[in-house]
Amino acid sequence: MLAASKVKIEPGRLLIDGQWVDGGKKFETTNPATGEVLTQIAEASRADVDAAVSAARKAFEDRNGLWRKMSSSERGRLIWKLADLVERNIDELAELETIDNGKPIFESRYVDMPMVVDVLRYYAGWATKIHGETVNTFETAFTYTLREPVGVVGLIVPWNFPLLLASWKLGPALACGNTVVLKPAEQTPLTTLRFGELTVEAGFPAGVVNVLTGGPEAGKAIVAHPGIDKIAFTGSTSVGKEIMRGASDTLKRITLELGGKSPNIVFADSDIDGAVKGAINGIFYGKGEVCNAGSRLFLESKSKDEFTEKLLGRVSKMRPGDPLDPKTRLGAIVSQEQMQTVLGYIEAGKSEGAKLMAGGKRVAVNGDKGFFLEPTVFGDVNNDMKIAREEIFGPVLSVLTFDDIDEVIERANSNPYGLAAAVWTRDVKKVHMVSRRLKAGTVWINTYGLMDASLPFGGSKSSGFGRELGANALEHYTEVKTVWLNMG
Ligand code: NAD
């Protein structure tokens, strides 16, 4: 038997204009570790999207409204209070995330939720530091810029880091004075709904934060809505393209954080044991359902045998386990559909001639209903194979080999994605040379996957555009206005 969850799960409603409303149609959210239905969730209709956008617009426009009258310092304090409430409820939020997504409680309790708190506090601090500039032009003119909020922002989030990726968007959006309509993914709505309650408890004025649950139809209605000024989206590249098309009619501002197929390059002169741990962390953290997963491991031929032996030795000891067990490091795949997608890629790897060196199968963990997959490693992979080209979004590592530095850079870059990359070497010149030439939004050196609220994160090429986190995110949630005053 898997451990039973202790958290109370209410049926999900919609948060519109500070009120929880039932909505019409319902859908189920399930626990991927057991296959059991957790609860019913409201599916936002077009009319619900209209109502949420009107509430957000009213809260944003009303000059006498609480949000508009609030000083930036008060706004910052409110975001800080929200961070305190997340921290106070951290165990409950972590458990909700784990039972809804299947990720190990170790990750949700000690990585995701603490970072949600950090991100909110980081942007709470920014609320008082967003300003325009005075610019000297002519003797007879006073010229300055104002940095103003964009307006109503639609935040559309995927299922792999549900509350964390919501906070990456909501933090800067609110710090800059926008109002939001937030939509979690249909697979994982539970933490966002609890978070919605915490925004009410913190005292955000009605309409500033609206939470709409639902699937692609709700997302499309948000994207098409003329009352929304900007969309911040994280998700797949194919949906990102649809959003770009959908947003064009109303010329919305958009930022897109999309998929990845990140290269992890290990030179023979690196600390091999450290690089082995980094490669494992790079692909199996978050069950590989991580946009920046190091899914293409490039090994320099000279050290390939030693590296592979050590890698497979470690992988052979990894087993998926009960996500609620604090010792588990590999949880359940988010849904049956995603598990079938990953198994399809494993079959493609085998049929295209890659060598299956570890894993490859579904496994039962204390019963047989959960969606658990073995950690999987393919050797003898070349750049043309499907498993080397496409994002799998599961615990599947493709190992490729190289002999030459120019060759590996060229092969690492010859993929449509450009989200992240890593390089392992003790040679400082090589570090800088390779980092400059890799087409990626983030390059890690002798580590994998580190993040901080203060450092921008985002992609190039098919991995999207715009940056989240850090000061860079603020640019995407503000408009610059130039003011000319004639003193002549
Ligand atoms: P998805 O694109 O299917 O869905 C993401 C969100 O968009 C969900 O809330 C969904 O309901 C909504 N949606 C779906 N179709 C829509 C449409 N036509 N219009 C508007 N909204 C729509 O992605 P997913 O399967 O939930 O997440 C996995 C993908 O997200 C992977 O490709 C992964 O790489 C990417 N991802 C990227 C980052 C990053 O920071 N770059 C982070 C996490 C995940």
Side-chain angles (χ1 to χ4, degrees), residues 429-475:
K429 275 206 296 202
K430 219 188 282 177
V431 160
H432 293 296
M433 204 262 274
V434 180
S435 310
R436 284 182 189 195
R437 289 174 58 191
L438 285 171
K439 294 196 185 104
T442 296
V443 179
W444 289 290
I445 293 147
N446 297 335
T447 185
Y448 204 97
L450 289 182
M451 303 252 172
D452 191 85
S454 62
L455 279 166
F457 181 83
S460 56
K461 303 197 285 179
S462 291
S463 295
F465 49 79
R467 292 292 177 268
E468 298 200 297
L469 300 180
N472 298 66
L474 302 167
E475 286 165 27

Side-chain angles (χ1 to χ4, degrees), residues 97 101-103 107-108 112 157-165 185 187-188 234-236 257-259 285-293 334 338 391 393 419:
E97 202 77 297
N101 166 283
K103 63 172 67 194
E107 293 180 12
S108 29
D112 289 26
V157 180
W159 45 256
N160 59 343
F161 292 90
L163 194 55
L164 183 57
L165 293 177
Q187 298 84 350
T188 55
T234 299
S236 57
E257 299 282 5
L258 309 175
Y285 184 85
K287 317 159 252 165
E289 294 167 348
V290 178
C291 51
N292 54 255
V334 72
Q338 183 63 16
E391 181 181 50
F393 225 53
L419 188 57

